[in-house]
Amino acid sequence: MTSMSKSGAIVLALLLSGCAKEPRWNAVSAEAEPIRPGLAPPAQALTFAQVRNADGRIATLLVSRFEGEAIEAIDLTGLGAPLDSDVFDASAAVGEARLTSALRQTGLARTYAIGELLPSAAAVDRHLASGTNFPEHAEETASSKVFNFPKFGHPTPAITTVRLNPGVLLDYEVEICARFDRDLRSAADFDAARKGFFLCGDFTDRATLVRLVDRDDIGSGQGFSDAKSGPDFFPTGPFVVIPHDWKQFVAQERIVTRVNSELRQDARGGEMILDFRALVEKAITGGGGGRYRYQGAPATLLEGGVIARGSTLMSGTSEGVIFMPPTRGDIAAGVARYVFSGAMFRGEPSFATVGESFIQSEMKSGRYLEAGDRVEHASSSMGAVSVTVVTGGGPA
C-alpha cells in the first residue's frame, strides 16, 4: 500500500467499524440502578417547556410535574410572560421569586402531553458540536484530543422520526446540550450568562464520515459536519433546565441510550473531559483548530468568532455507539480489493478503495440502525427522547 501512509492506515483502523462473522458491540459501563427520569427540585433548578397555543403562538411553561408521557405545567403567559419569546426572556419577565411562588400554588397548572411540546433547542440551524469529550468514547475511537466542529440542522421534538436513506450507516449518540441567554465572546460571557441545559441526540452517517474524514488528523473535524448535519439528525428533549449551580447539575446528570429497549449508553456529565466552560473557551480562543467544510464549501466553526445566542453547545457523547475498529479481515479484504480491482495500478488512493470496501461490508453487517428501530435517550432531569427510524426516499 505505497500510497497509504502508516498513520493513515492506523487512523482508518481506528475510525471505522469492523464486520466480524458474529455481531460486535462497543462496551457500555452501566450503573446498577435503572434510570428514573424526573424533575430537578426547584431548589436546584427550574424546568421549562414550550407549546403552541390555540392561536399558533408560542407559550412558555414552567413545569411542575413530569409523569412519563405527560407533564403538569403553568403557562407563564398568565404571569406576564410575553408570547413568542425565548425561554430565557419569558422566565426573566416573570422573575425567579414569582416563578418559585407559582410552583407552591394550586390551580395554576394544567396537563400537557409530551407530544405537544416544542423542541428544547432554539429554532436555529447552526450549532457547536464536540468530538471525543468522554474518556471511554475517546478510547474506542483512539482520538487523542477533544475537538470542535459545526453541526447544521434545525432541532426536532422529543417524539420524532429519523429518515434512513439508501447508502447510510446510521449511528446514534446521546448528549447534554446547552444554550445561553446572550452571545458568548469570552469565558467571562459564559460566566455571566444564564444557562439552559437539555437532552439531545446526534445522529451520524458513518459512511459519509468514512469518505470525508481526514485520516491523518481526526481532530481537524473534517467530514463531521456532513456526516452529522441535516434534517432529523438533531432530536431534542422536552425540557430546558436552568440550574442555580450549573457545574453541580451537569456533573450529576445521567444520560442513557436504549435501542429497541436494549441499553447501549450510560454516562454522567461529570465524565466530560472538558466541561462546558472549557468547551466555550476552546472554541472562542482557538477557533477549534479545524478545517471545516459542509456540502462542498468551506465552513467556519463560529460566525464572527461568536457563539450566537440560540446556538446549541453539545457535550459530546459517551462510549457505546455502534461504530468499532475494523477486524484484520476487513482490512485484508479492502487491500485485496485495492490490488485485484486494478485500483493500485491506476494510482488511485488506497484509503478510498479500502474505505469503500469497508462501507460495503458494514452495510451487510446488520449492526447499524434499520427502519423500524426505536432509539430512546433518557436523562435524570431533562426528560426523554424517542426516535423511530423510518425509510427515507433519498438524500437528506
Side-chain angles (χ1 to χ4, degrees), residues 116-148:
E116 295 180 68
L117 305 182
L118 299 175
S120 48
V124 302
D125 66 353
R126 185 185 179 94
H127 313 284
L128 177 60
S130 308
T132 59
N133 193 30
F134 283 71
E136 292 85 357
H137 183 55
E139 182 178 350
E140 68 187 11
T141 59
S143 174
S144 61
K145 62 180 180 180
V146 179
F147 60 94
N148 306 116

Side-chain angles (χ1 to χ4, degrees), residues 1-4 334-354:
M1 293 192 295
T2 56
S3 65
M4 179 187 283
V335 172
R337 178 177 177 178
Y338 178 60
V339 173
F340 292 111
S341 69
M344 181 177 70
F345 305 106
R346 294 191 297 270
E348 297 177 9
S350 57
F351 183 87
T353 303
V354 174

Side-chain angles (χ1 to χ4, degrees), residues 285-332:
T285 60
R291 302 185 303 280
Y292 309 113
R293 297 183 67 82
Y294 180 55
Q295 296 183 341
T300 58
L301 181 66
L302 303 175
E303 292 184 322
V306 176
I307 300 175
R309 174 175 174 157
S311 180
T312 294
L313 173 59
M314 306 176 73
S315 67
T317 200
S318 64
E319 65 179 348
V321 297
I322 297 175
F323 74 88
M324 296 180 70
T327 64
R328 293 177 182 175
D330 292 322
I331 298 173

Side-chain angles (χ1 to χ4, degrees), residues 202-222:
D202 181 23
F203 285 102
T204 309
D205 175 10
R206 298 293 177 186
T208 293
L209 188 58
V210 167
R211 294 185 177 109
L212 298 180
V213 71
D214 182 342
R215 60 189 181 275
D216 293 315
D217 184 9
I218 302 172
S220 71
Q222 190 167 309

Side-chain angles (χ1 to χ4, degrees), residues 16-20 22-26 322 324-327 330 367:
L16 309 180
S17 335
C19 176
E22 297 296 329
R24 302 185 302 149
W25 304 103
N26 277 315
I322 297 175
M324 296 180 70
T327 64
D330 292 322
R367 297 194 304 115

Side-chain angles (χ1 to χ4, degrees), residues 75-83 85 89-90 92-94 98:
D75 186 340
L76 296 185
T77 309
L79 299 179
L83 291 168
S85 60
D89 293 336
V94 177
R98 291 183 67 202

Side-chain angles (χ1 to χ4, degrees), residues 100-111:
T100 304
S101 175
L103 289 173
R104 295 193 293 264
Q105 298 179 44
T106 59
L108 296 181
R110 56 155 287 197
T111 301

